[in-house]
Amino acid sequence: MGVYRSRNVLAGPLTADRLGAVELPRTSLGRRGYRTDDVDALLHRLVYELGERTRLLDDALGENDRIKRALRAWQAEVREAVGVGRCSAAISDSRAGPDGRPAGER
C-alpha cells in the first residue's frame, strides 16, 4: 500500500501553523463553490483542535519522560542498597516503589 502524497500547500507534516497559513482561492463564478465564512470557520476549528492535540501529546510525552527518570532513580537506589549488603527481600518489603507504595503491595 502506498503513501498518499499531495502536491498542494498541505504536503508534508500537518501542523496547526501550516494549516492556519492555508488560503484557498476565491471562486470567480459568483455563487459556485463554498462560502468563504464556512471554510474559514472550519479552518480555525481545525487549527485549534490540531494545536490542542499536539499540546496534549507533548504533555503526555513529557510525563512519560518524568516517570522513566523517576523509575531509573528508584532502581538505582535499590541497586545501591543491595550492593551495600542489605537483603533484597527486606528492600522489597521496606522501600517504596516509584508509585509511593511499598514494593510488596503491587
Side-chain angles (χ1 to χ4, degrees):
M1 175 178 237
V3 175
Y4 174 74
R5 302 237 187 255
S6 175
R7 294 184 200 160
N8 67 17
V9 294
L10 292 178
L14 185 61
T15 64
D17 292 336
R18 290 188 67 209
L19 187 59
V22 170
E23 287 190 28
L24 301 173
R26 306 252 185 230
T27 61
S28 60
L29 301 174
R31 296 190 49 91
R32 292 186 70 180
Y34 299 105
R35 286 186 282 173
T36 305
D37 293 339
D38 292 341
V39 173
D40 288 343
L42 177 62
L43 285 175
H44 288 293
R45 179 178 175 188
L46 289 170
V47 166
Y48 171 77
E49 288 192 16
L50 183 59
E52 186 66 14
R53 285 190 176 97
T54 301
R55 184 189 64 76
L56 290 172
L57 177 61
D58 290 343
D59 289 350
L61 292 173
E63 180 68 4
N64 188 21
D65 287 341
R66 185 193 68 77
I67 291 169
K68 284 180 181 179
R69 284 192 305 272
L71 179 60
R72 286 185 191 118
W74 176 76
Q75 289 171 333
E77 287 178 23
V78 170
R79 277 193 305 270
E80 184 179 307
V82 169
V84 172
R86 293 180 60 186
C87 175
S88 62
I91 292 170
S92 65
D93 290 337
S94 64
R95 310 240 338 153
D99 58 359
R101 295 182 303 178
E105 292 184 12
R106 283 180 268 177

